[in-house]
Each structure stands twice: as structure tokens, then as C-alpha cells.
């Protein structure tokens, strides 16, 4: 499809495990965003890439969270030593470039930490 | 710190009613404001974008207004339909990089 895809769609992890969440943006999109959405809340910004450069990571809640986009396309959000409070839906969005307003969102990955 | 609040948190209306969703933000220094729709298990879909210099935007049965000075936006939905049932999220961009700050959303249910 032509939209933003995320995998896996659902992930259950035991507390303390590491997880990796993948985002495939729309082909050619320069900007990529990660958001965390807790149950019943709005999404909260985590980090922003322009191509492979991570320009803003101010929203990452702790140093257990790490995001990368090494070739400027696919991005991975990694969470080390998961904790129960990490349970949320992780949304990825992409946009054509830094001047384009419209962001296209993926369906999200629902992470449950037991 | 910018805070975005949406009222009401949930709303249930009969089909055909016109309705208004409210969004307020604490810092009027915004670049733009967007209204999104979120269906269960799906990502967000942009409905309307209002640039900081604009007062309103319209798309079909939807009309969004922006009053920066008072820190408020409203989303007006005319002649509501069951297919409008979803969570509606308001988000503001305060950095010019489209890093949005979202409200908690209004869960709308339109009854047939």
C-alpha cells in the first residue's frame, strides 16, 4: 500500500525485555515523527527525523528509549528494559518535507508490558 | 508549557444533529492548529488545518474556527451521521516543525 505502515501491530513484552518497533514511511517522505499514545490520552511527541538526522528527541521519556533512521527511510523505535508504564500505542507519522504540513499517520503498534 | 484541553471528553448525539467540539490551548503563540479524527485501532486522519493567520477552514460538513487571542478552536459538524463516530483530536504546533501537542480528544458517538 501507499500509506505509512508499522510493525508489529501488537506486541506483548514481559517487564525487562527489549522491544523494537518498526515504521515504514511513505516512500520519499523526508520527515518522520514518533508519538506515544497512552490509553484515553492524546498522542505525545517523542522524536522527529529529517532524513537520517534526528533533529528533536526532546519527547523521549528516558534513556531507555532510542530511535534511529539510518538510511533516511525506515525508522525503528527501540525500548530497552521495558516497564509497565511503557504500555501504550506508538504512532509513526511521515510528511513530504519540513515545509509540508500534512502528516500521514500509521495504524500504530500497541505495546503491552506485563 | 503549552497545554491543550478538549471539552467534552465524550459526546453522544442522535443522527442529524449539528454539534460543536471545543479545544482550548494555554499559549497563543502557535504556528497552526489541526483537527484529527481517530478510529479505533487506526491511525489519525487530518480533517482540517488552520494556519495561525487564518480564522476558519471548511471541508464539507466540517468547519473549524480559530481564535488565537483567546486560545480557542471549535470544530463544527453539521448534520451528523453514524459514520462520524470516532475520537476527534485537536493539536497545536508551537515550534513550526509540525511537532504537535495534542489534546486528550472528544469521543463522539452518533446514534442512528
Amino acid at each position: 500500500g501507499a500509506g505509512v505502515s508499522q510493525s508489529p501491530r501488537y506486541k506483548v513484552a514481559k517487564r525487562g525485555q527489549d522491544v523494537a518497533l518498526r515504521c515504514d514511511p511513505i516512500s520519499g517522505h523526508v520527515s518522520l515523527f514518533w508519538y506515544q499514545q497512552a490509553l484515553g490520552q492524546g498522542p505525545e511527541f517523542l522524536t522527529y527525523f529529517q532524513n537520517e538526522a534526528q533533529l528533536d528527541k526532546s519527547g523521549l521519556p528516558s534513556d531507555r528509549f532510542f530511535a534511529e533512521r539510518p538510511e533516511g527511510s525506515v525508522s525503528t523505535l527501540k525500548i530497552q528494559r521495558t516497564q509497565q508504564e511503557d504500555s501504550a500505542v506508538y504512532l509513526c507519522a511521515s510528511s513530504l518535507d519540513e515545509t509540508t504540513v500534512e502528516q500521514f499517520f500509521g495504524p500504530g503498534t500497541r505495546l503491552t508490558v506485563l | 508549557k503549552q497545554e491543550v484541553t478538549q471539552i467534552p471528553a465524550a459526546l453522544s448525539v442522535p443522527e442529524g444533529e449539528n454539534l460543536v467540539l471545543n479545544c482550548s490551548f494555554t499559549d497563543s503563540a502557535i504556528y497552526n492548529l489541526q483537527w484529527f479524527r481517530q478510529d479505533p485501532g487506526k491511525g489519525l486522519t487530518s480533517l482540517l488545518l488552520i494556519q495561525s493567520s487564518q480564522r476558519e477552514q471548511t471541508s464539507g460538513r466540517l468547519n473549524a474556527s480559530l481564535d488565537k487571542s483567546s486560545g480557542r478552536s471549535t470544530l463544527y459538524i453539521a448534520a451528523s451521521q453514524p459514520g462520524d463516530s470516532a475520537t476527534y483530536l485537536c493539536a497545536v504546533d508551537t515550534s513550526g516543525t509540525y511537532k504537535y501537542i495534542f489534546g486528550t480528544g472528544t469521543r463522539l458517538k452518533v446514534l442512528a
Side-chain angles (χ1 to χ4, degrees), chain A residues 4 12 19 31 38 40 42 55 58 65 80 82 90 92 95 103-104:
Chain A
V4 177
V12 178
V19 298
S31 300
L55 299 186
S58 61
F65 287 70
Q80 297 178 323
T82 53
Y90 291 86
C92 174
S95 65
Q103 293 183 17
F104 294 85

Side-chain angles (χ1 to χ4, degrees), chain B residues 5-68:
Chain B
T5 304
Q6 291 187 245
I7 294 173
L11 183 62
S12 185
V13 300
E15 182 177 7
E17 269 202 12
N18 302 324
L19 56 100
V20 175
L21 308 182
N22 296 291
C23 172
S24 60
F25 45 95
T26 54
D27 186 347
S28 62
I30 65 170
Y31 284 79
N32 64 72
L33 180 145
Q34 279 203 64
W35 283 93
F36 292 86
R37 169 183 174 141
Q38 186 172 32
D39 293 280
K42 297 187 179 180
L44 280 64
T45 301
S46 178
L47 297 174
L48 288 166
L49 164 77
I50 310 178
Q51 298 283 6
S52 61
S53 58
Q54 297 174 323
R55 297 299 300 269
E56 67 175 342
Q57 284 288 332
T58 298
S59 176
R61 294 182 294 108
L62 305 180
N63 175 277
S65 67
L66 173 64
D67 185 342
K68 266 184 43 175

